[in-house]
Amino acid sequence: MIDRQNKWIERHSTLIFVTLSVVLVIMMLLVVVHPLELFTSHDAPFQVMAACLGAIVTALITAMLLNSQTKQQEKLQEASKEQELDRAKKTEQYKEKLRIYQGFLDELYTVVKDRDLTTEEKISMQFKTAILSMHTESTHIEKISENVKDVLMCMCAPKKSYDVKKLQESLFNIVYQFRKELYGLEINDNSDALNNTLLNFVDAYNGIESAEMQESAITDDSSFLWQKARERWENDKKWEVIIDGETIVIKRKGDRIIELQFGFWKGHYYIQAKYEPFGEFSQAMKWKYGGSKTYSTWWMHIKTPAFFDLKEGEFWSKFQESESMQRELVDWFDKLIAETNDWDVLADRHNALMNLLGDDRQKYEKQGWKFWIWAHPTDGKCNVCDSHIKDEGEPFIDIVSENGQIVIRLGNRENKAVKQREIASRLGLPTDNIVKDDDRTDYYRFNEGVSDEDVMAKVAELIEKISRR
């Protein structure tokens, strides 16, 4: 009811304004003529007329200005609504395009991964392409179709091997068209970088096909790859393989808790690695492979459709029939075994230092010392001893393997050469032996092969010198 009244008032605002103005003028003139006698009754009609005309003109001008202002505001509001709707529409279109393009690539992989093309798969790709064309320009569709043809010819040809460079080049071309659709600008890719990427794939996979063909010739047993890998791990003596239902555990024998695991969790099959008690291990794995970490355990769902699309309970029946699934899982376990083997070097040095420090470890930790491991996929790996002694510039020690040597290197968290010379001078070290690129000092160098105890004895010696204040 109130809204209806407000709308009626808005529509008749001009009439209301004029009427009120005239009434007020007439009342004012009546007061002026009789009580105040400023005008005579003879002059009053002329004064009333003049006043009314003035009031009406003023009211009309004001009403027209108000009406014009109201219309402008309405136009601005309409324009703002249209812009907001247009932005929302473009955002939803972008999301839909991204979903369709990702789905198209996933479907393309599903179709070609078995190196064969069924009638159902052909029909599926045709429908996927039709959906693609709803949001894609015809010129881009044409380019995409050309490269899809190349992918199918490359992967589903009668011969076993495939052209690595041709496949990668075709996939890049498809993705390039998607990027043009999504971002709308001409994309200036570095042609040299793309060419180097293609060559890297060719070099990386060179000779793999011949190995696959040899294995196929050895046996027709579809589970040959898995059985061979399992025997290899168990013959290593360091590992034991435990299978419980759909959970596969490869466990390091001995005192250390080092385990690799495959199983089903949170709706999908996962791969996992644990190296206790080092939380730095799981962080390093997350940096390198993605996934998640909890304390010293890293894990991630296997994202390839062959594993990701499986429902719980389907693993063994699919796995025993699929050479590609076996190869993928074996590759994962081999990679994780290599990661833990590399970590052994860091863990052994850390444990050697802890044994050498013994009860003094608590004394150093109270002073602010922390003993940990740095392992980054691009920045390298090393053992770290952090002093956190702020008034000394927070000296720290890195123990790193490089160029066939084990180096004990001293630095400071201020990253200043001046501070480094002060620290070196106080410790009785040469002040001119500063590594120029990171303002650090090489305290001692060993040739590879020296025992961890000998190396970390020097580290303990340096810790004691720094702590002596």
Side-chain angles (χ1 to χ4, degrees):
M1 185 67 179
I2 295 173
D3 289 341
R4 228 180 275 163
Q5 291 175 348
N6 290 336
K7 290 180 181 178
W8 186 91
I9 292 170
E10 287 177 3
R11 286 198 299 269
H12 299 87
S13 60
T14 302
L15 178 60
I16 294 170
F17 189 87
V18 171
T19 303
L20 289 174
S21 299
V22 171
V23 171
L24 289 172
V25 169
I26 292 172
M27 290 176 64
M28 182 185 70
L29 288 173
L30 290 174
V31 171
V32 168
V33 169
H34 292 287
L36 299 179
E37 294 182 348
L38 295 176
F39 300 113
T40 66
S41 58
H42 179 73
D43 292 329
F46 298 100
Q47 297 298 332
V48 170
M49 182 63 70
C52 287
L53 289 173
I56 291 169
V57 170
T58 301
L60 288 172
I61 292 172
T62 303
M64 285 190 292
L65 289 173
L66 289 172
N67 190 45
S68 176
Q69 185 180 8
T70 301
K71 288 181 178 179
Q72 288 179 351
Q73 288 177 344
E74 289 176 351
K75 287 181 180 179
L76 289 174
Q77 288 175 351
E78 287 295 327
S80 177
K81 287 181 180 178
E82 289 178 1
Q83 289 177 355
E84 187 175 347
L85 287 172
D86 186 60
R87 282 196 298 269
K89 180 181 177 181
K90 288 181 178 177
T91 300
E92 290 302 316
Q93 286 176 338
Y94 177 88
K95 291 179 180 178
E96 184 66 6
K97 276 187 175 183
L98 187 59
R99 185 188 66 81
I100 290 172
Y101 294 162
Q102 290 174 335
F104 186 86
L105 287 176
D106 288 340
E107 182 67 15
L108 182 59
Y109 170 74
T110 301
V111 164
V112 303
K113 67 181 181 180
D114 61 356
R115 312 297 301 278
D116 193 12
L117 195 61
T118 65
T119 301
E120 289 76 15
E121 289 170 341
K122 294 175 187 177
I123 294 171
S124 175
M125 285 306 301
Q126 285 181 289
F127 274 91
K128 285 287 183 180
T129 305
I131 295 172
L132 197 70
S133 64
M134 292 172 61
H135 296 279
T136 310
E137 290 182 6
S138 56
T139 54
H140 295 159
I141 286 288
E142 182 182 13
K143 293 289 185 184
I144 292 168
S145 65
E146 291 174 359
N147 286 280
V148 168
K149 179 189 72 175
D150 291 338
V151 170
L152 295 175
M153 293 297 294
C154 179
M155 293 297 295
C156 299
K159 58 184 179 180
K160 180 72 173 177
S161 61
Y162 75 101
D163 188 336
V164 176
K165 184 177 180 182
K166 183 64 177 177
L167 174 62
Q168 197 63 52
E169 195 171 36
S170 300
L171 292 173
F172 279 170
N173 289 338
I174 293 171
V175 171
Y176 182 79
Q177 301 303 317
F178 289 166
R179 289 167 64 194
K180 288 175 74 173
E181 280 287 334
L182 289 170
Y183 305 115
L185 300 174
E186 190 64 29
I187 300 168
N188 296 319
D189 280 332
N190 187 308
S191 58
D192 290 335
L194 287 175
N195 187 56
N196 288 337
T197 302
L198 295 174
L199 294 177
N200 287 339
F201 275 108
V202 174
D203 292 338
Y205 297 145
N206 185 34
I208 289 179
E209 290 295 335
S210 61
E212 290 179 344
M213 293 176 71
Q214 288 172 5
E215 289 175 354
S216 299
I218 292 172
T219 181
D220 291 331
D221 183 358
S222 59
S223 62
F224 174 80
L225 288 175
W226 173 249
Q227 294 299 332
K228 183 179 178 182
R230 181 176 176 179
E231 290 172 7
R232 172 163 51 85
W233 298 325
E234 291 177 328
N235 290 337
D236 189 359
K237 305 300 182 185
K238 288 198 307 184
W239 302 94
E240 64 174 319
V241 180
I242 304 169
I243 298 178
D244 181 9
E246 291 193 320
T247 301
I248 303 170
V249 177
I250 301 181
K251 185 177 181 181
R252 177 82 72 84
K253 297 177 182 178
D255 296 333
R256 292 184 184 176
I257 302 177
I258 303 170
E259 291 181 1
L260 318 176
Q261 185 168 304
F262 168 86
F264 190 90
W265 192 53
K266 288 190 174 182
H268 301 283
Y269 288 92
Y270 67 89
I271 193 74
Q272 175 178 300
K274 176 193 296 185
Y275 199 117
E276 289 191 357
F278 297 101
E280 300 97 330
F281 171 78
S282 60
Q283 180 60 67
M285 295 293 288
K286 184 177 180 180
W287 280 332
K288 188 169 183 178
Y289 298 105
S292 303
K293 73 181 193 73
T294 305
Y295 301 109
S296 57
T297 300
W298 165 87
W299 71 274
M300 67 176 290
H301 286 127
I302 301 178
K303 298 297 180 61
T304 53
F307 283 92
F308 197 77
D309 295 343
L310 282 182
K311 296 178 181 178
E312 187 174 13
E314 295 181 343
F315 169 68
W316 282 115
S317 61
K318 301 289 185 181
F319 185 73
Q320 291 173 351
E321 297 173 357
S322 173
E323 180 181 332
S324 62
M325 286 180 66
Q326 292 178 42
R327 186 177 300 283
E328 183 172 2
L329 188 57
V330 168
D331 286 346
W332 263 118
F333 277 130
D334 280 341
K335 279 191 291 190
L336 298 182
I337 287 173
E339 294 284 356
T340 57
N341 287 340
D342 287 345
W343 198 264
D344 286 343
V345 176
L346 302 168
D348 288 344
R349 288 175 185 170
H350 176 87
N351 293 336
L353 178 61
M354 296 302 100
N355 290 333
L356 285 166
L357 295 180
D359 294 337
D360 288 339
R361 176 182 174 181
Q362 293 182 349
K363 175 188 74 176
Y364 291 129
E365 287 178 341
K366 286 180 180 179
Q367 293 178 355
W369 283 92
K370 299 292 181 185
F371 308 100
W372 52 286
I373 292 172
W374 172 258
H376 194 273
T378 57
D379 294 344
K381 302 175 182 178
C382 66
N383 294 80
V384 184
C385 306
D386 261 322
S387 73
H388 295 294
I389 304 173
K390 293 188 179 296
D391 56 355
E392 292 287 324
E394 294 190 280
F396 66 89
I397 306 166
D398 284 347
I399 303 93
V400 58
S401 296
E402 62 178 26
N403 301 323
Q405 291 188 313
I406 305 168
V407 183
I408 301 173
R409 187 164 287 156
L410 176 66
N412 69 89
R413 292 301 175 195
E414 293 184 9
N415 291 323
K416 294 179 180 178
V418 173
K419 176 59 68 174
Q420 187 68 11
R421 290 189 178 90
E422 291 177 4
I423 297 170
S425 177
R426 185 177 70 80
L427 297 177
L429 303 177
T431 57
D432 57 348
N433 186 24
I434 306 297
V435 180
K436 293 182 180 179
D437 60 346
D438 56 7
D439 296 331
R440 301 183 188 183
T441 304
D442 286 353
Y443 178 70
Y444 208 90
R445 285 177 172 266
F446 296 91
N447 290 325
E448 288 283 2
V450 174
S451 70
D452 293 325
E453 287 72 19
D454 289 343
V455 173
M456 303 318 278
K458 276 293 181 183
V459 174
E461 173 186 283
L462 182 54
I463 291 172
E464 176 59 27
K465 288 181 179 180
I466 294 172
S467 302
R468 216 183 289 145
R469 292 177 291 166

